[in-house]
Amino acid sequence: MSFAWTPHRFSGGALALDVANSVVLRFDPARRIDRFADPVAMDAFADAASRLCGETFERLAPTVPDRRPLLIALREATDRHFRAAVEGEASDHLLADLLETAAAALRGRSEPGFVALEAATAHSALRLTTETGDGRLKICPNCQWLFIDRSRNRSRNWCDMAVCGNRVKASRHYRRQKEAGS
Ligand SMILES: [Zn+2]
């Protein structure tokens, strides 16, 4: 398996957003990839997030198999709620869905010294609901990931300048060259 949870995949700045961003190109049916569709990758996420996520936690434990559907439900409710918030379409209904799935995620059990991924994701999402009214929550125009812009003047356009920013610049350059050549 060549897939790896690289630092780029933790560009969201909050665990709940990194979990939501385990779906790449969410609204592009032809190219959409769900990294959590593979349980091995889903389990590996917990360990990688413990090291690479912008939020710090106690050690994260992978979601146990029978609670995986719950983590996916929480991921989807998180994405719907915060994406709508960025687009100025927040609703009490979406918030209620998020709160219900978060509550279910908090009812699991963890080993001492560990916090279950779904519980940590719920805590992260709940924190975000009180933090994101200031225009810092954004959607990457290239990959559609959600991220928090913590730059001083809120000037961050991309989830990751080195990946999405450069990709868009390169395709613009390529288009210009093509136009110049034709
Ligand atoms: Zn991006």
Side-chain angles (χ1 to χ4, degrees):
M1 192 178 74
S2 60
F3 174 73
W5 291 108
T6 54
H8 165 64
R9 299 183 189 281
F10 294 88
S11 301
L15 180 67
L17 300 183
D18 294 331
V19 166
N21 295 342
S22 64
V23 180
V24 186
L25 296 165
R26 186 175 275 273
F27 301 104
D28 183 342
R31 295 190 297 157
R32 182 184 195 276
I33 303 170
D34 179 355
R35 297 294 180 190
F36 282 181
D38 175 1
V40 175
M42 197 197 223
D43 285 354
F45 177 91
D47 181 54
S50 298
R51 290 177 285 112
L52 299 172
C53 179
E55 274 181 298
T56 44
F57 294 93
E58 293 174 74
R59 279 206 52 203
L60 295 172
T63 296
V64 297
D66 67 341
R67 285 172 64 83
R68 281 179 188 147
L70 184 57
L71 177 64
I72 298 298
L74 177 59
R75 176 185 76 177
E76 297 306 300
T78 297
D79 190 86
R80 278 195 298 271
H81 170 75
F82 290 108
R83 199 171 290 276
V86 178
E87 291 166 347
E89 290 167 8
S91 75
D92 286 350
H93 191 84
L94 291 175
L95 179 59
D97 285 348
L98 175 59
L99 295 176
E100 276 167 11
T101 52
L106 292 171
R107 290 204 177 96
R109 245 177 269 162
S110 305
E111 302 282 313
F114 286 85
V115 54
L117 174 60
E118 71 276 17
T121 302
H123 279 292
S124 171
L126 294 173
R127 262 195 303 277
L128 278 179
T129 59
T130 63
E131 271 178 19
T132 47
D134 58 358
R136 290 192 185 275
L137 184 64
K138 296 184 177 179
I139 296 171
C140 176
N142 187 51
C143 69
Q144 300 157 12
W145 275 357
L146 288 160
F147 68 93
I148 301 179
D149 177 1
R150 297 197 198 277
S151 68
R152 194 187 300 217
N153 53 2
R154 294 177 209 184
S155 58
R156 193 170 143 198
N157 291 321
W158 315 99
C159 68
D160 185 340
M161 182 66 212
V163 177
C164 284
N166 283 343
R167 227 168 256 169
V168 168
K169 271 201 270 181
S171 75
R172 271 191 208 136
H173 179 72
Y174 173 77
R175 253 200 324 269
R176 268 200 304 271
Q177 285 210 319
K178 233 176 115 183
E179 279 161 16
S182 63

